[in-house]
Amino acid sequence: MGMVCGLDLHRGQITFDALELETGEVWRGRVWSPDRERFRRWLNEEMAPRARGERVDTSVEGCTGWRYVVEEITAAGFVAHLAEPAETQTRRGRKKRAKTDRSDARLQRELLARGELPESWIPPLEILEWRERGRLYKSLLDQRTQWVQRIHAELFQHGIPSPDGQIRTEATRAALTAPDLAVSTAGRQRIGVAYRMIDALEAEQLPLRRELARFGMRQPACRALVKDHYGIGALTAVIVWSELGDCQRFSRSMQVVRHAGLDLTVDQSDLHRAGGKLSRQGPQTLRWALYEAAKASSRRVAPDHNYYAKVKAAHNGKVAALSIARKLARRCFHTLSNLDPEAIYARP
């Protein structure tokens, strides 16, 4: 290893801190306006001559923008390491002075040189692409829910009871957009806009859902998830597969629960203990997919229905679904860990 380098990413600049191991020389600076082409020139024209053909290990903080930086580092023949942001900052210890971009880059370089950098997994391109599609689908779904909630809020604002049926059914839509509905002119306009936004979102969401489900029914790892675990369908299988990927990087199943943000954080001192809450520190889309799959255990034919009913009787349905979601996360870990890596990354 001839050189180690830490990069701190921002839209307007990339701050770097590099160390040549043989000479001990430190090289610091900034790459301004760092689009892909500008960063590529910096790697080839400035980094490569200093490396002199030796190995270069580069740490990149896993924040927005890491993807193109890692791709260009790999294309230049260097080794990229993706630093987990929260764990990396924890390794800083107690702050003695103000945090800066230069100190962040130096911290990554020092941790990388000592072999203590907490690294995140860098997925292959195929998994990255389907992960983006899954997150896009979840974003469209959330936005549609928000517009439905705006309709409910407008009805409540004017003292009109919410309809018994779903807000998107034809009968309900006809009733809420009728000219004789007892709402103000602005309220009627807001309801009309909300329905048109829902139509526009569904026009994008439904084809994407079919695309995800079609891929999930053909990809080997996704098919294994659907086959082995009740509640996981073709759509949720793609999301679980793309967010977890190669589970051999986890040493035990509980790490997958923590990765999904489904683990409980507990504040305890002596005999006093506050109620636990979800950490919610993992991918939101993965957490949603596991929770949606877990809700299928409310059906009497589900293998985990007795456990679901027992937890629901002691607490409520939400806690029961979260308990099943943790079980599903651990089971998906074992399924993906036992698969051939070629099957995990195989294209249909």
Side-chain angles (χ1 to χ4, degrees), residues 132-333:
E132 290 297 321
R133 293 186 178 99
R135 292 180 178 180
L136 173 61
Y137 174 80
K138 180 62 169 58
S139 298
L140 294 173
L141 189 65
D142 289 341
Q143 291 178 35
R144 188 186 67 177
T145 302
Q146 290 171 8
W147 283 106
V148 171
Q149 291 172 342
R150 289 187 180 105
I151 295 176
H152 281 290
E154 194 65 34
L155 295 177
F156 183 64
Q157 182 75 4
H158 289 83
I160 300 176
S162 297
D164 296 333
Q166 290 190 0
I167 206 77
R168 300 193 309 275
T169 60
E170 292 297 329
T172 303
R173 179 169 184 167
L176 296 184
T177 55
D180 58 346
L181 185 68
V183 296
S184 66
T185 303
R188 184 173 291 104
Q189 182 181 18
R190 187 178 186 184
I191 292 174
V193 169
Y195 271 116
R196 290 193 293 274
M197 292 300 298
I198 291 172
D199 292 340
L201 290 168
E202 289 184 342
E204 299 291 341
Q205 177 197 355
L206 296 180
L208 181 58
R209 179 187 179 93
R210 289 193 293 268
E211 182 182 6
L212 288 165
R214 184 166 57 249
F215 179 84
M217 290 186 292
R218 299 169 58 198
Q219 208 280 334
C222 296
R223 286 165 52 190
L225 291 173
V226 175
K227 176 177 176 292
D228 294 346
H229 308 297
Y230 185 88
I232 294 184
L235 172 65
T236 50
V238 176
I239 294 176
V240 172
W241 165 79
S242 63
E243 296 290 353
L244 291 181
D246 185 5
C247 282
Q248 293 182 0
R249 70 187 192 277
F250 299 109
S251 60
R252 52 196 178 94
S253 60
M254 190 58 199
Q255 291 180 341
V256 176
V257 177
R258 185 171 295 112
H259 173 72
L262 290 169
D263 58 317
L264 294 177
T265 58
V266 178
D267 186 10
Q268 181 175 358
S269 177
D270 194 23
L271 300 178
H272 301 282
R273 172 172 170 167
K277 297 181 179 180
L278 290 183
S279 66
R280 299 180 184 273
Q281 293 184 350
Q284 179 187 6
T285 312
L286 174 61
R287 193 160 53 249
W288 168 80
L290 291 171
Y291 182 78
E292 288 296 312
K295 289 197 296 186
S297 293
S298 61
R299 305 169 187 166
R300 294 186 179 277
V301 296
D304 293 315
H305 176 71
N306 291 337
Y307 176 80
Y308 177 92
K310 180 180 178 180
V311 177
K312 182 179 179 180
H315 300 280
N316 54 57
K318 184 176 181 179
V319 173
L322 288 172
S323 299
I324 299 295
R326 295 186 194 97
K327 289 179 175 290
L328 281 175
R330 292 193 287 268
R331 293 168 185 170
C332 291
F333 161 77

